[in-house]
Amino acid sequence: MMYDVCVVGAGTMGSSTAYHLSKKENLNVCLVGPGEPERKTLDREVFGCHYDEGRITRIISEVETEQILAYQGTLSYPELERESGLKIFTEVGMAIVGPKGDEIVNGYVTTADKFCKTKGLLCEKLDEMDIRNRWSYFLPSTNCYGRFSKKYNGYISVRNLVKACQIVAERNGVKRFGEVAKDIVRESEGHYKIVLESGNTISSKKIVVACGSFTNFYNFLPGRRQLDLQLIGHTVLKFELGEEAVKKMSEMPSMIYKPKIDAGYVYILPPIKYPNGKTYLKIGHSVHPNFEDKEELGKLLETLDDVQKWYCQEDYPKARNFFKTIFKTMYPDIEPLGEELDFCAMALTTSGKQLIGFVEENFLVAAGGNGKSAKFGLQIGKICADSIVKGEWDCDLLNPEDFRVRFKDELYA
């Protein structure tokens, strides 16, 4: 069978692309990529960042393009929830808190004020006393301030987002291949042959590659070129909370918190119930290409073996101790029942923006989530679906140059 479009990569961007393609008429579409494993083991090649119940989604952002993507994506969650029957978005609000005079915090505050005013949304000003009174369990640093906005901010179950997209896509006729793709070859007739790990092949007229951190390891792109991606091993620590703590923190929003000017920021998700029946508060750390905390909180990942071992490790004491110290400083009266460290790989780009575009006719790539693809992956999927069908960039709200696909050989020649 010849497919009209084959989407390679069944994570957030790929599954969202398949979902949006499934709503278009007269298209034969397939989605290639393995599902979530019961447990992470080294005999598996590919993992994903979407194995989680809580990822911040926010229209409060320091980057205008991300505000647009997140806003448009959030508007789409109710429809996907109705179609799939799965809960995806929880609107608990978003708080930005940090020291006065800090450049990063000032950037968030300025763009939050501007965007919320444009959309007619409430963005509350917070001073130190406001913060202490509003969230009595949270002990912020002195001389802090910030913003809080409820509408369109909170967190999503990215696991359910991926599941929902796949459920609806398959119901609408998308064929799912739960295997790793090993190669993509352009045939002389102009179509593509996708080679699966089983040795079976798929033929398709058009290709969308959305393989995240794994894109460069399989040399999928024409000319075997490498995307401008730097892979960072990222850590988060989930703190298990008892019933009393969960009740006390029931009004907690998602939060970005910068304790002092000469420190990085952390992000915090409120108590969320996970499939194992336990409720966790999750803390993660800031990441950017100049990865100054790599020895403390993670590491640069250069090979497929590096990525596999990072995902499958059982502990990372330096990161665990860092997060435990942060938790105790922020919530001195909350005693967690235990904690669980988790790992993922982030694909960062030099520009700090996602790479979305054509690398040749009928071949589109989407990669470089920069640790943020969960909150606007659904909208990126729409851009990919619309563009691959049209044969060119198809999103009037955003400039394609902002997302231009860049290669390592262009930057480091």
Side-chain angles (χ1 to χ4, degrees):
M1 179 178 181
M2 175 70 71
Y3 290 95
D4 294 306
V5 184
C6 175
V7 182
V8 180
T12 309
M13 292 185 190
S15 297
S16 297
T17 300
Y19 163 72
H20 286 291
L21 285 170
S22 77
K23 296 192 164 193
K24 299 182 182 296
E25 296 182 356
N26 303 317
L27 276 184
N28 290 320
V29 179
C30 67
L31 174 64
V32 176
E36 181 178 350
E38 291 187 9
R39 55 189 301 268
K40 299 172 185 176
T41 58
L42 288 172
D43 59 356
R44 179 187 173 102
E45 282 191 4
V46 173
F47 300 92
C49 291
H50 60 274
Y51 310 155
D52 200 355
E53 291 301 319
R55 295 287 295 276
I56 289 178
T57 187
R58 55 184 171 87
I59 60 171
I60 294 179
S61 175
E62 72 281 25
V63 182
E64 184 179 2
T65 55
E66 292 180 2
Q67 290 176 321
I68 295 170
L69 283 167
Y71 178 70
Q72 294 298 323
T74 303
L75 294 178
S76 303
Y77 292 141
E79 180 179 356
L80 180 55
E81 289 178 333
R82 288 193 298 269
E83 292 173 318
S84 66
L86 296 177
K87 177 67 173 174
I88 298 169
F89 175 52
T90 302
E91 193 175 65
V92 296
M94 181 71 197
I96 307 293
V97 176
K100 293 179 180 178
D102 182 83
E103 184 177 346
I104 292 176
V105 179
N106 289 347
Y108 273 110
V109 166
T110 300
T111 55
D113 287 345
K114 180 181 178 182
F115 191 80
C116 287
K117 183 178 180 180
T118 300
K119 298 298 181 183
L121 302 173
L122 178 63
C123 188
E124 301 177 51
K125 296 180 179 180
L126 302 172
D127 60 24
E128 186 176 338
M129 190 58 65
D130 295 328
I131 295 164
R132 291 175 183 269
N133 290 338
R134 189 163 198 155
W135 303 297
S136 59
Y137 48 82
F138 171 40
L139 182 62
S141 57
T142 58
N143 198 36
C144 64
Y145 83 121
R147 293 292 187 271
F148 172 75
S149 183
K150 180 73 177 287
K151 191 69 173 175
Y152 304 125
N153 293 292
Y155 66 86
I156 63 169
S157 167
V158 67
R159 175 181 280 122
N160 278 357
L161 171 62
V162 170
K163 285 182 181 177
C165 286
Q166 293 177 2
I167 287 170
V168 177
E170 291 184 55
R171 184 191 303 152
N172 291 344
V174 171
K175 174 67 175 176
R176 176 74 192 281
F177 295 91
E179 299 184 46
V180 175
K182 304 295 284 189
D183 199 5
I184 299 174
V185 180
R186 184 158 193 169
E187 303 283 70
S188 57
E189 298 87 351
H191 64 261
Y192 295 92
K193 180 174 72 175
I194 301 91
V195 181
L196 305 180
E197 60 183 336
S198 63
N200 294 327
T201 61
I202 301 167
S203 294
S204 181
K205 297 175 185 175
K206 296 184 177 184
I207 291 284
V208 176
V209 168
C211 297
S213 298
F214 296 86
T215 305
N216 284 343
F217 295 132
Y218 291 95
N219 295 315
F220 285 148
L221 304 186
R224 308 304 186 188
R225 298 180 76 185
Q226 300 275 294
L227 293 178
D228 167 34
L229 299 178
Q230 182 186 56
L231 305 189
I232 301 297
H234 186 64
T235 50
V236 299
L237 191 59
K238 297 182 294 189
F239 293 87
E240 183 187 352
L241 301 180
E243 291 184 12
E244 184 177 341
V246 171
K247 184 177 180 180
K248 190 173 185 178
M249 307 176 88
S250 61
E251 299 298 318
M252 179 179 172
S254 297
M255 181 180 288
I256 289 177
Y257 175 54
K258 200 169 188 290
K260 53 186 180 179
I261 289 178
D262 59 349
Y265 67 79
V266 293
Y267 62 86
I268 308 101
L269 285 107
I272 299 171
K273 193 170 185 177
Y274 276 66
N276 63 4
K278 298 179 180 181
T279 300
Y280 297 96
L281 178 150
K282 187 175 78 171
I283 302 181
H285 60 88
S286 58
V287 174
H288 54 79
N290 298 319
F291 192 43
E292 79 280 9
D293 295 325
K294 63 183 178 182
E295 296 303 323
E296 292 297 321
L297 304 176
K299 65 179 293 187
L300 296 170
L301 306 174
E302 298 180 332
T303 67
L304 181 58
D305 185 63
D306 286 343
V307 178
Q308 289 172 298
K309 289 179 179 177
W310 181 260
Y311 267 99
C312 296
Q313 65 187 313
E314 295 184 0
D315 199 7
Y316 202 80
K318 288 182 178 180
R320 182 184 293 274
N321 294 335
F322 169 83
F323 288 124
K324 289 175 70 174
T325 299
I326 289 287
F327 183 94
K328 192 63 178 177
T329 301
M330 294 180 67
Y331 313 112
D333 296 329
I334 302 293
E335 191 65 40
L337 302 180
E339 69 266 345
E340 182 178 324
L341 202 61
D342 206 357
F343 309 92
C344 68
M346 290 185 179
L348 307 185
T349 64
T350 302
S351 68
K353 297 178 181 178
Q354 295 67 43
L355 308 179
I356 310 170
F358 287 88
V359 293
E360 69 177 25
E361 185 180 13
N362 297 328
F363 194 127
L364 186 141
V365 65
N370 291 284
K372 304 171 183 177
S373 63
K375 69 174 177 283
F376 40 66
L378 190 59
Q379 185 63 16
I380 288 178
K382 186 178 189 310
I383 294 172
C384 291
D386 292 346
S387 298
I388 194 66
V389 170
K390 187 176 181 180
E392 61 183 22
W393 180 268
D394 190 13
C395 178
D396 293 337
L397 293 173
L398 295 164
N399 184 346
E401 184 59 27
D402 287 334
F403 303 91
R404 183 171 64 85
V405 177
R406 292 170 170 83
F407 298 94
K408 287 185 176 181
D409 57 17
E410 295 176 338
L411 297 169
Y412 309 116

